[in-house]
Amino acid sequence: MSGFGFKRKTTELSKLFGIRARLALLALILVAPLMLERTRSLEETRNKQIALAYSEFSRIAQQSADSQRDAISSVETVLKSAAHIQASKSASDLDCETLQASLPVKLPWIRNLTIVGGDGRIKCATLDELIGLDLSDRTYLKRARLARDLIFSDFLSSKYDSEPIVIAAYPVSAVNPESDLVIVASVNLDWMSKVMRDLSSRHGVMAFLVDSAGTVLAAPADLARMVGRPLDSVPALTTAVTRAINPDQPSGQFSFPSPAGAKLTLSFSRITGTESRLILIVDEARVAADINHDIRNAYLQLGFVCVLVLLGALFAAEKLIIRPIHTLVAVARRFGDGDWSVRAAGSRLPTEFAPLARAFDKMANQLFERERELIASNDRLTVMASIDMLSGLANRRGFQSRLDFEWAKAQQCNGELALLMIDVDHFKLFNDTYGHPEGDACLSRIGETLAGLATATAGFAARYGGEEFSLLLPGTDTSHALGIGEMVRAAVQSLMIPHATSDHQAVTVSVGVAGVRPSEALNPSDLLEAADASLYVAKRNGRNTVAEHSLGQTAENGSAAALAS
């Protein structure tokens, strides 16, 4: 019994001297020497806080620079992809549809893409209004052609809408030396300023993104008025900016006095792949003023802490330790649930918990960046997955997406929609006779021919599978589609690709035509089935013919059948 009673008293004593009570006792023991030590340590804290402020501003500036580099990298990827696609085409065969499809919708910093010809005029563009615009006086075109590499311009005003922009240009000659085309992207400066929003409203700090001439390309919201203006137009910054934009120094840091005699520190770093520089200017006097204010508050807080420790140690312990621990636990749980938007450093935590909070935030940032990279990669793969690399046309997946879109559009407008299914005659015999490499070359030439006819007829060409192609004709009735089908048949035969095992001694195609006015009673698969049925009729009639099917009856094109016979 005596042992049991001793254990119970020990348990009660442990509860009495829990973390809150122990902290109160420790505070009472240490409060006297701390009052003396505090006077000296606050000055050291002041120096550390100044260093921490510089470190924090540098970190945020580095994040902004990294975001700018990510944008530049994505622009480079889009331009090079478009250049490689165009380089695979003939000089007269501009692949405008592929250019329009190559602009990812989740890249807000790219306003538009264009293809500029050797005469300096825009040949293709993601905005139809830009076609024909003369850019021959723009120096970045000459620089891109001479360098045969990616070039970023300085600050410009758009010839289209006079908006401030930066131009990225990549010559197709970097891939195909015989080409004089240049792929051009217009970069939105508004988005660059949004990337720097973390640097806004910070006392004593100014941040700018400038071009090689010192013109401001982007700035935080509180300095947005500087965009488009030379930074060296500010008298106090003229000498410093000239030094910062020196092309021989990609990065650096130096101090200089302000007109009022305060010490200013300027750090700069060049954005990889461009001549642009991120400039960060810190006014130590203003930064120190904020810190001195914090120190005065700290003295007041110290007095209150001494009183609160004596009068309410339990409450202080709850406020300073228990609640922050609960906050970090809650943040950790939200991280575990996949919520990367939560930030531990945004909570009011004691200094001792700040490293742990920053570690949580760093982890969240890294996971968010990886998720964003994965989304961007998936977007690029989605675009690539819709293109047939052999023919350069859309593949079956891309065709199905376009068919669904045109069907819904025609149904909404009560318009007509026609479809041509095209099959290469006796293609297996062609492969057996000439080999698969020649077969691939044959399909590639037919794909180029269909791409040209699709452009001429405002249609959409695709490789449906194997030796089968398709041509979708929005706003086209059956009779007109029959004529286009005959154009396809004749165009392929005129290629005069040798085919010894064919009756025509050349590669030919059979064309099935189907037309419909979409309604609620029909769906896109009905049009596909009708086109397949008419293609079967064309083959049955001896191949190298055109046949029509109207979702209910099959009628052969008499003239085409006569040609086949």
Side-chain angles (χ1 to χ4, degrees), residues 350-363:
T351 304
E352 292 78 7
F353 289 89
L356 182 58
R358 288 196 294 270
F360 278 147
D361 291 350
K362 182 178 180 180
M363 177 179 65

Side-chain angles (χ1 to χ4, degrees), residues 308-549:
L308 291 175
V309 167
L310 296 174
L311 301 179
L314 296 178
F315 174 79
E318 183 74 22
K319 181 70 175 178
L320 299 176
I321 297 179
I322 305 301
R323 288 186 182 180
I325 291 175
H326 290 167
T327 299
L328 292 176
V329 170
V331 169
R333 287 176 178 171
R334 292 179 65 180
F335 285 168
D337 294 335
D339 183 3
W340 314 127
S341 63
V342 64
R343 291 294 180 268
S347 305
R348 294 186 176 180
L349 300 176
T351 304
E352 292 78 7
F353 289 89
L356 182 58
R358 288 196 294 270
F360 278 147
D361 291 350
K362 182 178 180 180
M363 177 179 65
N365 286 331
Q366 291 175 342
L367 292 173
F368 175 75
E369 288 298 326
R370 291 176 183 175
E371 185 177 27
R372 189 178 68 173
E373 292 172 1
L374 180 60
I375 292 174
S377 298
N378 287 339
D379 290 340
R380 291 193 293 270
L381 291 174
T382 299
V383 173
M384 295 176 62
S386 299
I387 298 175
D388 175 56
M389 302 308 294
L390 177 62
S391 65
L393 303 177
N395 58 19
R396 187 166 184 169
R397 177 180 178 179
F399 166 76
Q400 187 63 51
S401 297
R402 186 61 176 263
L403 174 60
D404 293 339
F405 170 77
E406 295 295 349
W407 183 276
K409 181 179 177 183
Q411 186 174 349
Q412 183 179 10
C413 301
N414 194 29
E416 293 186 296
L417 187 62
L419 175 63
L420 276 60
M421 296 300 292
I422 305 155
D423 188 77
V424 182
D425 296 329
H426 303 298
F427 187 71
K428 184 178 184 303
L429 292 177
F430 184 93
N431 270 340
D432 293 343
T433 303
Y434 299 99
H436 288 281
E438 287 297 323
D440 291 344
C442 172
L443 294 178
S444 179
R445 290 190 63 187
I446 293 175
E448 292 178 1
T449 302
L450 288 178
L453 289 172
T455 301
T457 59
F460 180 81
R463 184 183 177 192
Y464 196 73
E467 68 272 20
E468 192 171 6
F469 296 84
S470 61
L471 181 59
L472 189 62
L473 300 170
T476 305
D477 57 22
T478 305
S479 61
H480 189 195
L482 283 170
I484 295 175
E486 177 59 25
M487 289 171 57
V488 171
R489 187 201 65 77
V492 173
Q493 188 171 11
S494 67
L495 293 175
M496 298 302 295
I497 301 173
H499 192 349
T501 57
S502 170
D503 294 339
H504 302 280
Q505 296 298 300
V507 172
T508 60
V509 294
S510 298
V511 183
V513 180
V516 67
R517 189 180 297 275
S519 65
E520 294 291 343
L522 300 172
N523 57 62
S525 63
D526 295 326
L527 182 60
L528 277 170
E529 292 176 1
D532 278 335
S534 58
L535 178 60
Y536 173 77
V537 173
K539 291 181 179 180
R540 189 181 62 191
N541 289 343
R543 294 183 169 83
N544 194 25
T545 61
V546 181
E548 176 242 344
H549 191 91

